[in-house]
Amino acid sequence: MNAQDLIDTARMLVADYKGLLAMDESNPTCNKRFAKLGIPQTEEARRAYRELIITTPGLGEYISGAILYDETIRQQKQDGTPFVQVITEAGIIPGIKVDIGAKGMAGHPGEKITEGLDGLRDRFKDYFQMGARFAKWRAVITIGVGIPSRGCIEANAHSLARYAALCQEAGLVPIVEPEVLMDGTHTLSRCGEVTEEVLQTVFNQLYRQRVMLEGIILKPNMVLPGLTCSQQESVEEVADATVKCLLRNVPAAVPGIAFLSGGQSGELASARLNGMNLKFKLRSPTVGSSPWALSFSFGRAIQQPALELWQGQEANVSKAQQALLHRAKCNWAARQGEYNAAMEGTGV
């Protein structure tokens, strides 16, 4: 492990108001999205869609890193150019998702544990040779009646920390993603309580596993009410609750926080990210300046409009790329506290 290389890469991932593009959907998940739009669920269709994304002109102006799936990192453009080469030449750092999914947790009905630690050290070596310079592992926490349990939170935090230690050992920056899911009727306050407990537990485990915090990126959920909660707080209230939670629980040594979108629409995710950065930009007496960069690591919130426009048709590639670039630029603006709804009408 070269500590300075890890620190430099982590800083680059959140530099210049850029953010991460999560294009690491598993093949089954990608196929489900294709099926809804009548797109063939084939390897070639997935390859063509991913080529559309990574060849979007100007993408590197707003995106610092791309999280890839195992199939994707091995794929090539139609002309034979490896995807990793295309991404790197665009000024974007290649990354890789390494967990193998969240499975039902034994003895904990309704809760999940993320798997994939077995053989991970060797997989990291392979991915590094392929050109990856950071990785991602996602843990999921569900809020419901009697859950999350302490056992579920601790088990997922321990796995995240072990993954992060192995990741740094291999020379890759770990994206640490403890996601408190949006699904449910829980209130914003309840989400805040659970998110605080999860973050406290995760960082406790990161300390125990001797993970260098200067060489990681945290990818948390925003503090939000459940999707079916009767009370849906404003953008400003969500920003306030999220910022307070982070200030209480995320060490200043962490260089960046790249939020997941978690099923939010592209516009709402941008507005909420903007609200958080605007609080720090104004340097209010109750908040002050940010100890870490507040960035984004969005998947659907950037890709969905492009996917819907593409429809699997070569003739639609250009306008799909324009839509993708627009969403990336909106989030770049949100990182500066300069996003507003008027941008959506102009296609800026």
Side-chain angles (χ1 to χ4, degrees):
M1 177 183 78
N2 185 310
Q4 192 57 53
D5 284 349
L6 290 171
I7 292 170
D8 291 344
T9 300
R11 289 175 177 170
M12 288 168 60
L13 287 171
V14 293
D16 302 322
Y17 302 112
K18 298 179 185 180
L20 305 178
L21 174 58
M23 47 184 295
D24 58 332
E25 303 95 340
S26 67
N27 290 345
T29 298
C30 189
N31 287 342
K32 287 179 183 177
R33 293 179 187 161
F34 280 10
K36 289 180 180 178
L37 297 170
I39 301 170
Q41 294 96 69
T42 64
E43 181 179 354
E44 173 53 27
R46 294 192 298 270
R47 190 209 61 77
Y49 175 56
R50 291 158 180 163
E51 179 173 341
L52 176 159
I53 294 172
I54 65 171
T55 58
T56 295
L59 190 62
E61 295 179 31
Y62 311 112
I63 298 296
S64 58
I67 310 172
L68 309 177
Y69 184 61
D70 182 76
E71 179 181 78
T72 316
I73 199 171
R74 304 172 190 275
Q75 288 180 318
Q76 303 173 343
K77 284 178 58 181
Q78 198 166 25
D79 66 8
T81 308
F83 276 2
V84 170
Q85 180 181 333
V86 177
I87 292 167
T88 303
E89 289 177 352
I92 298 171
I93 302 171
I96 181 70
K97 170 188 173 178
V98 295
D99 69 75
I100 59 174
K103 312 294 174 63
M105 186 172 175
H108 292 72
E111 299 189 283
K112 295 184 176 182
I113 181 71
T114 300
E115 299 181 347
L117 288 173
D118 289 348
L120 187 55
R121 176 179 273 130
D122 290 335
R123 287 197 288 135
F124 273 140
K125 291 178 183 177
D126 291 341
Y127 287 135
F128 188 91
Q129 289 299 319
M130 291 179 200
R133 290 299 176 264
F134 70 98
K136 192 202 84 167
W137 178 289
R138 173 179 178 249
V140 296
I141 305 296
T142 302
I143 299 178
V145 179
I147 57 175
S149 66
R150 189 66 200 159
C152 175
I153 292 174
E154 289 183 353
N156 276 292
H158 180 69
S159 294
L160 273 168
R162 287 185 60 199
Y163 138 80
L166 285 166
C167 198
Q168 290 188 339
E169 176 189 77
L172 284 79
V173 170
I175 306 294
V176 177
E177 181 177 359
E179 178 179 3
V180 178
L181 297 173
M182 292 173 60
D183 305 310
T185 60
H186 55 270
T187 63
L188 179 140
S189 176
R190 175 63 177 147
C191 179
E193 292 170 358
V194 172
T195 302
E196 285 209 16
E197 183 179 4
V198 169
L199 290 175
Q200 289 170 9
T201 308
V202 166
F203 280 103
N204 179 268
Q205 287 294 327
L206 290 171
Y207 286 130
R208 292 189 178 196
Q209 297 302 321
R210 301 178 180 177
V211 173
M212 181 180 64
L213 298 186
E214 293 86 351
I216 75 167
I217 299 294
L218 178 68
K219 181 175 178 176
N221 54 283
M222 298 179 190
V223 176
L224 303 170
L227 287 172
T228 52
C229 179
S230 59
Q231 181 175 347
Q232 295 289 318
E233 278 79 3
S234 68
V235 167
E236 291 74 20
E237 289 170 314
V238 165
D240 186 59
T242 304
V243 166
K244 285 181 179 178
C245 177
L246 296 173
L247 287 170
R248 291 169 178 163
N249 299 285
V250 181
V254 175
I257 296 173
F259 291 101
L260 57 91
S261 52
Q264 302 173 76
S265 69
E267 294 83 356
L268 192 52
S270 296
R272 286 167 167 166
L273 177 63
N274 186 78
M276 284 179 263
N277 279 296
L278 190 58
K279 289 183 71 68
F280 284 120
K281 187 175 183 179
L282 295 176
R283 301 183 188 279
S284 69
T286 57
V287 177
S289 58
S290 171
W292 1 253
L294 288 181
S295 187
F296 58 93
S297 180
F298 295 164
R300 277 173 290 173
I302 292 179
Q303 292 185 44
Q304 192 60 30
L307 180 60
E308 292 174 358
L309 285 168
W310 177 54
Q311 294 285 327
Q313 303 298 317
E314 178 68 25
N316 298 334
V317 167
S318 180
K319 63 181 180 181
Q321 289 180 329
Q322 290 173 26
L324 184 80
L325 193 68
H326 170 66
R327 288 258 53 86
K329 188 172 183 179
C330 284
N331 290 307
W332 175 78
R335 278 208 55 189
Q336 302 169 71
E338 295 178 358
Y339 168 83
N340 60 72
M343 293 179 65
E344 302 298 348
T346 60
V348 172

